[in-house]
Structures are given as structure tokens and as C-alpha cells.
Amino acid sequence: MCGIVGYTGRQQAAPILLDGLERLEYRGYDSAGIAVLSPEKGLQVRKAKGRLKVLEALTDGGKSLDGMMGIGHTRWATHGEPNDVNSHPHLSEDERIAVVHNGIIENYVELKSFLVSTGVSFRSETDTEVVAQLLGYYYRRCGNILEAVYRVLDRIEGAYALGILCADLPDSFIAARKDAPLLLGYGDGCSFIASDVTAMLRHTRDVAYMEDGEVAVVSPEKIVVYNALGAEVEKEHHTVDWDVSDAEKGGYAHFMFKEIMEQPDAIRKTVSPRIRDHRIVFDELKMSKEELCAFNKLYIVACGSSYHVGMVGKYNLERLLRMQVDIALASEFRYADPLVDEKTLVIVISQSGETLDTMAALRKAKRLGARILSIVNVVGSSIARESDDVLYTWAGPEIAVATTKAYSTQLVLLDMFGIYLAELFGKLPYFLYDELIGELLALPSKMERILENTEQIKYLASRSFNRDSIFFIGRNLDYALGLEGSLKLKEISYVHCEAYAAGELKHGTISLIVDGTLVVALCTYKALFDKSVSNIVEVKSRGADVIALTDESLADALSKTVSNILTIPDTHPIFAPSLGVVPLQIFAYYVALQRGCDIDKPRNLAKSVTVE
Ligand code: F6R
């Protein structure tokens, strides 16, 4: 999705903006641009289709643009094809105002015809240009840029994070937000805005999150924030504790591989502070034990891989709690009539905390009276702020578009929450509770064992990379695991693959299994091992080439049926998906590598999906 960065201070702005945009590259984009203001040269805008390298070359790494204040943008095309003209920043007709925008202006057609009727001519096909032109229109009439901004915000509908540079405002620029993330950064003699904290991490860790309806006037020494009514508001500051190095490759060829390798540590950071005296402690929970005990249903809502975490969670939590656990894709939930009320705890899962559909689902659940507990990685993100309770994953910044360490930490945290509730509800015998805590603490070292030797996975990937179609099959938790394994593979390698509940094969899918079809059979769920083996026999007898994943203790038994076996260390069944996902991530990585794909930035995908 699009990215925004803005800077005002004592240094040349353009190189800082380009560096910030580079940190936002991982979000996915197809063009980039910057606007810089200097007293001598006025407003200078440079933009270009393609990678940031093109813009860097065009501006000599930013050196050719004078000025100590500017705004920058990476665009992910929605309205209008990716080209130089449609790239941001967009200008008012008199070229005195430049605008960068994340989000979508829904009533742009109506506003555009209004502006055209007043004689304004448009240069691009974008919805964003309407904001720049409307600002120009009101600014010409009222002569005050802040007032013009408020008038524009009154008229535009949709989602926006805006950075606005006006040639008549020499050392401040303006920012505004509604339903799209925007942060303020307080540096030493300089100030920032950014859609994502990674863009300013090199310069400051002191940040504040803009709320919907707020407008900020950003100057080097201070940032003044106003609410929707124009009254000044005091912002709460947060210190970001992510390391700059966390957002760098650190010698790895790809962020994805680095993040796969970081999983044991990310899990340690997420789990260890919440275990005291061999017991799970959620100090951060605001809901009382009585309130938690009063719910009669859990409802998990999320998108993509976070939804797959929820799928594992549904199996595990229902088993642990003997309580109804529903699950829905956020994009479906928001337009359905879900059975949710004040007795429902809705668990919202989101790495970014900014996914628009998930946010909309959260708000719907709240309107229906439910309480919201979210599992989020980005501290202070919109979903975290709108939830009644937040459990943070401590995965650190995840840069690769395909999630790995965020998935793993979300999963372990959801399992922990399930165990915590089960104990609270009196549903867990103490010996089982003890066993589960022991296994939870052992997960990072078991994961390390998988990561120590990836040669066999690499070899199997080298034999599989040229397949047109791959099937993942599994039962119960293995089915939920297959959903994630298959998504990982398709998103980064562009190989068509599907995950099926193994018992469903006979109901249609088996017709696709022919000589040489690759089937990845997941057999980590011990209780249904024999059933899964039967499914393997079934697909093999139709000519399938099978790679199986199972627990170390079951490998011998499986070797009678399958020759290509990957193993994970044995663990309690509820944690098997936490280990099982690792070989599947690595398999996807090596298949994509062999196919020469852009692993960290797969085509058409964005890290944080802030549009519908
Ligand atoms: C896949 C992936 C996506 C996200 C989904 C939800 O690798 O990363 O499927 O899981 O877009 O994103 P969050 O968790 O940020 O709400």
C-alpha cells in the first residue's frame, strides 16, 4: 500500500525523504515522488514510475533538490495506472500546494465535476488530485491554508492520510488523517510524519499517533495538533523500542529469510515476559477475570495469514475451553449479520493493526455490543487503539510482505490466551497445564532445531519449483496449517496451490490429482495420523508425488508410505502448527528463490492493506 513520509528541520530534506521512502518500500508500490520547498526555488516536485532507484537517479539521491522541508510518497495504484503523472505528490492548479495521500477519496468523481465546472483542469486520473485542486480552490478564496484544509476535509469522503505542502508556509507543513494510519515524529530540531514508524526510526523514536479527524501543523521545533472542531489537542507521546537494525537485512539475502530465522527469538520475547512461576500472566489485560468468565462465545476475526492463525485457534480454543469459537474473514464479517452481542468476546488478529477490513469488522462488532481483544504487532496502531484490550506480539518490525514471524507470534499468543482462559474456567487439569507451559517454553529451541538444518527442505524445493500446481492436504490442525503453507507458497512463488481438508478430497478435488501432481501431506496431528496416511495412499494411487511433514516420532511409520519426509520435533498437539509452519515457510522461500521471484515484494501485494 502507499507510504507517506514528511520532514521539516535543519538538513536537506530530499535525501531524508528518499531514505524514509526506502524504508517504506516493503509495503509495496509502483511509483514514487517527493515535493520539497525552498525559499529560493519554491516548490520542486519530482516523481517517477517504477522503483525508488529511478527517483533517486532523477534527483541525484535527493542532492539536486534544495530545501529543508518536504513530503514524499510511494504509490500503489488504485485510481489510474502507475505512471509519472498519476504518482504523488499532486499539485493545485497554481502549483503552490502539493499533496501526498494514502487511502481513497470516495466522492472524487462528484468533486472533480464540481471543480471542472469552475474551470479547473486536471492533470491525472487519480482521486488524490481532487484534494490538491480543492485545496487550491478554497485557498484562493480564504487565503489561509489551515482553513482551506478544514474546508476540504468537510467535503471529502473516504479514507485519508494527507501530507500537504504550501509554498506560502515556509517552514511548516500540514497533515491530516481519517481511517488511514499517520504518525507524528518528534526529532531534535526536526519533525516528521510517516504512515509507518520504520520511515523515521533512524531519526526519532518519540512518536504520537494521529486520530481520525485530527489536523497537524508540523514545524521543526513543534507539532501543533487540532481536532475536527479546530481545538488544539495534547498528544500522548510513545517511545518506539524497535531497533533500526531490526528493519535491515543484516547480511541475509532477503528480509523473509531473516524473519524466518528470527522466529525463535520473537516467540521468546512474546512468551517469556508472560510466564511467571510457571504460570501464564497477562498483566496487560484490563478485562477482569469475572468479565472473561461471563462470555459465552469467542469470535475470531482477521484477514489472510492472521485468519489462518485464527483457524488454528478455533480448533485449539474449542478443544481447550469446550466453548463455542466462531471465526470469520474480516471482509465477510463486516457485511454479514454475525451473531455477536455483549456476551461475545471478539478476538481481532492483525500484524499491522491497520488492515481496513479488520478495522471495519472490529467497529461492527463493537456496535453489536461485543468486547474486543486484539492481538497486534504494531504498538499504538489503529486496531490496538480501538480495542478494549490488546495483547501485543513482540515480533519486531516485519518487513517482508509475506508474514512469518508475525504469524508465529500471533499463533503462540492466541494459544497462550486459550490456555490462560481454560485454566481460569477450571477446564484444565493441573498436570496438563504444567505440560502445556513446559512445551510453550520449549517451542523456541525446538524451532531452532528445524532452522539449524534446512538442506533437505532446500533440496525438495529444488525438485518442486517448476510445478504448475501444488496441493496441501491435512486434517484438523493440519488443515489449518496447510492453509498457511499454501498461502505462503502462492504469494511469493506464484505457483498455483490449494489447501484442502484431506477428508474433502473425495468430494471433488481428487479429480485434479494426476500423474506427477505434487501433494504436500501434513501429518503432524497425531490423533488423525492413520486417516492422513490413508489419504496419502489415495493420492499416490492416482500418481501423486508426495512430500510429507510429520513429527519425528512418526517418521518411521510414515516412511513405509512416503519417501520424502520432513520432520518437526515432537510437541503437544496444540503446538504442532507452530513448528510445522517453519518448514513450509522455508519450502515456499526456496521455491520462490529458484523461480527468481521478488521474494520480499511479491507482485500486486502490499504489506499493510489499508484499502478495501
Ligand atoms: C500473508 C500476509 C497477509 C496478512 C493480511 C492481514 O503473508 O501477510 O495475508 O496476514 O493482509 O494483515 P494484518 O495481519 O496486518 O491485518
Side-chain angles (χ1 to χ4, degrees):
M1 292 288 104
C2 306
I4 287 181
V5 61
Y7 166 83
T8 175
R10 301 184 201 113
Q11 295 180 50
Q12 191 176 13
I16 294 175
L17 294 173
L18 287 172
D19 177 69
L21 291 180
E22 211 174 302
R23 318 262 145 199
L24 297 179
E25 271 194 300
Y26 77 97
R27 296 167 62 100
Y29 71 106
D30 43 50
S31 53
I34 51 177
V36 176
L37 186 64
S38 91
E40 298 77 27
K41 296 199 179 150
L43 203 54
Q44 308 139 77
V45 178
R46 299 288 182 278
K47 42 194 200 171
K49 181 184 166 190
R51 292 287 185 215
L52 212 52
K53 281 193 228 96
V54 185
L55 185 64
E56 278 163 0
L58 198 70
T59 58
D60 188 18
K63 291 200 232 23
S64 68
L65 296 177
D66 287 348
M68 293 188 283
M69 175 169 73
I71 50 179
H73 191 260
T74 44
R75 173 173 187 251
W76 197 77
T78 54
H79 293 63
E81 63 175 90
N83 62 28
D84 295 357
V85 179
N86 287 335
S87 313
H88 301 207
H90 289 283
L91 294 171
S92 58
E93 197 163 43
D94 60 6
E95 302 192 352
R96 298 198 64 72
I97 299 170
V99 173
V100 290
H101 164 223
N102 285 0
I104 290 175
I105 305 301
E106 281 161 6
N107 59 339
Y108 82 102
V109 175
E110 169 202 325
L111 293 172
K112 190 167 178 175
S113 17
F114 160 72
L115 287 161
V116 168
S117 76
T118 68
V120 172
S121 48
F122 278 73
R123 305 174 185 95
S124 76
E125 302 157 280
T126 64
D127 53 330
T128 303
E129 192 182 347
V130 158
V131 179
Q133 299 284 18
L134 201 57
L135 268 169
Y137 173 85
Y138 283 122
Y139 185 50
R140 280 196 298 283
R141 273 151 190 81
C142 70
N144 178 319
I145 186 68
L146 193 56
E147 193 181 325
V149 168
Y150 271 98
R151 288 201 196 177
V152 169
L153 299 187
D154 255 2
R155 292 204 62 178
I156 57 176
E157 287 163 20
Y160 51 80
L162 292 168
I164 301 162
L165 205 56
C166 174
D168 303 324
L169 210 59
D171 68 353
S172 310
F173 64 90
I174 296 175
R177 150 191 174 137
K178 184 178 155 272
D179 291 337
L182 198 58
L183 286 95
L184 305 169
Y186 304 82
D188 184 10
C190 59
S191 300
F192 292 83
I193 59 165
S195 49
D196 185 324
V197 71
T198 47
M200 51 192 181
L201 213 51
R202 275 195 165 182
H203 307 275
T204 181
R205 291 169 179 284
D206 182 7
V207 305
Y209 301 91
M210 287 189 76
E211 300 291 342
D212 281 352
E214 285 182 351
V215 174
V217 179
V218 186
S219 320
E221 303 297 341
K222 63 175 194 277
I223 302 178
V224 184
V225 182
Y226 304 96
N227 65 16
L229 301 172
E232 200 172 322
V233 288
E234 206 49 53
K235 293 302 291 177
E236 189 188 337
H237 287 226
H238 299 262
T239 307
V240 182
D241 60 5
W242 286 355
D243 276 342
V244 181
S245 64
D246 286 346
E248 284 165 1
K249 279 196 199 135
Y252 287 94
H254 296 98
F255 278 111
M256 184 178 174
F257 203 73
K258 174 178 178 245
E259 289 162 3
I260 288 173
M261 291 299 183
E262 283 172 350
Q263 290 180 108
D265 258 356
I267 289 184
R268 265 188 205 104
K269 283 185 189 145
T270 303
V271 171
S272 310
R274 292 168 168 128
I275 306 247
R276 281 207 295 274
D277 300 329
H278 222 64
R279 299 188 67 76
I280 297 175
V281 192
F282 284 118
D283 286 332
E284 64 266 59
L285 269 185
K286 288 188 269 183
M287 267 178 244
S288 67
K289 294 190 170 170
E290 291 68 35
E291 285 173 304
L292 287 168
C293 288
F295 294 117
N296 63 13
K297 179 158 85 173
L298 302 181
Y299 211 133
I300 304 173
V301 180
C303 298
S305 292
S306 298
Y307 171 80
H308 297 158
V309 167
M311 283 292 288
V312 176
K314 177 179 163 60
Y315 285 111
N316 279 342
L317 270 56
E318 269 183 351
R319 191 160 290 139
L320 286 165
L321 303 172
R322 306 309 308 139
M323 177 184 191
Q324 189 180 345
V325 182
D326 285 345
I327 174 160
L329 290 162
S331 54
E332 290 295 314
F333 182 97
R334 63 181 292 193
Y335 296 119
D337 288 317
L339 293 173
V340 163
D341 59 23
E342 44 295 319
K343 292 230 155 237
T344 315
L345 177 64
V346 171
I347 303 179
V348 170
I349 309 175
S350 175
Q351 184 282 131
S352 61
E354 300 294 350
T355 304
L356 191 79
D357 280 326
T358 311
M359 187 71 199
L362 178 159
R363 287 180 179 162
K364 174 163 191 152
K366 265 188 150 176
R367 281 198 301 279
L368 293 170
R371 299 286 293 276
I372 315 290
L373 175 132
S374 60
I375 294 182
V376 173
N377 191 43
V378 179
V379 175
S381 55
S382 306
I383 288 174
R385 281 177 295 135
E386 292 203 21
S387 301
D388 297 300
D389 257 302
V390 194
L391 298 179
Y392 282 113
T393 49
W394 299 115
E398 191 177 61
I399 306 296
V401 165
T403 181
T404 52
K405 61 176 180 171
Y407 171 95
S408 294
T409 49
Q410 287 168 347
L411 185 53
V412 85
L413 199 47
L414 186 58
D415 285 340
M416 272 181 96
F417 185 62
I419 298 166
Y420 173 83
L421 284 188
E423 207 251 352
L424 190 66
F425 296 173
K427 298 273 172 62
L428 264 190
Y430 75 92
F431 62 87
L432 180 54
Y433 183 77
D434 250 22
E435 183 191 341
L436 291 175
I437 302 294
E439 280 302 323
L440 197 54
L441 290 168
L443 275 181
S445 57
K446 291 189 177 179
M447 212 176 239
E448 268 155 7
R449 273 176 50 204
I450 303 172
L451 294 171
E452 268 158 24
N453 187 357
T454 60
E455 280 313 302
Q456 197 201 356
I457 309 174
K458 194 172 172 180
Y459 163 71
L460 291 176
S462 72
R463 286 191 42 201
S464 315
F465 78 95
N466 52 2
R467 309 290 175 132
D468 294 330
S469 193
I470 299 179
F471 291 87
F472 285 71
I473 59 169
R475 288 171 179 265
N476 200 278
L477 286 169
D478 281 327
Y479 167 51
L481 171 62
L483 291 170
E484 179 58 8
S486 133
L487 179 64
K488 238 25 1 142
L489 188 53
K490 70 185 107 179
E491 67 184 330
I492 62 167
S493 72
Y494 317 141
V495 177
H496 167 254
C497 43
E498 301 287 344
Y500 274 94
E504 265 297 292
L505 281 176
K506 283 197 218 51
H507 300 286
T509 324
I510 203 157
S511 64
L512 294 170
I513 309 288
V514 291
D515 242 0
T517 306
L518 180 60
V519 174
V520 179
L522 307 175
C523 313
T524 70
Y525 187 58
K526 291 192 176 81
L528 293 175
F529 179 74
D530 291 341
K531 298 273 173 207
S532 301
V533 173
S534 302
N535 292 123
I536 295 178
V537 173
E538 209 168 63
V539 293
K540 278 190 76 174
S541 63
R542 271 128 190 118
D545 190 4
V546 175
I547 296 176
L549 176 75
T550 193
D551 308 83
E552 281 165 357
S553 64
L554 295 171
D556 264 359
L558 195 58
S559 64
K560 297 184 185 76
T561 317
V562 188
S563 44
N564 294 316
I565 299 178
L566 297 171
T567 57
I568 53 168
D570 286 71
T571 179
H572 187 280
I574 77 164
F575 298 123
S578 287
L579 297 179
V581 76
V582 178
L584 302 186
Q585 295 165 342
I586 298 169
F587 181 72
Y589 174 82
Y590 282 123
V591 169
L593 196 65
Q594 295 263 354
R595 291 170 68 92
C597 299
D598 189 351
I599 292 181
D600 285 338
K601 294 186 234 68
R603 71 178 176 218
N604 303 340
L605 291 178
K607 185 67 186 163
S608 167
V609 185
T610 49
V611 294
E612 201 175 340

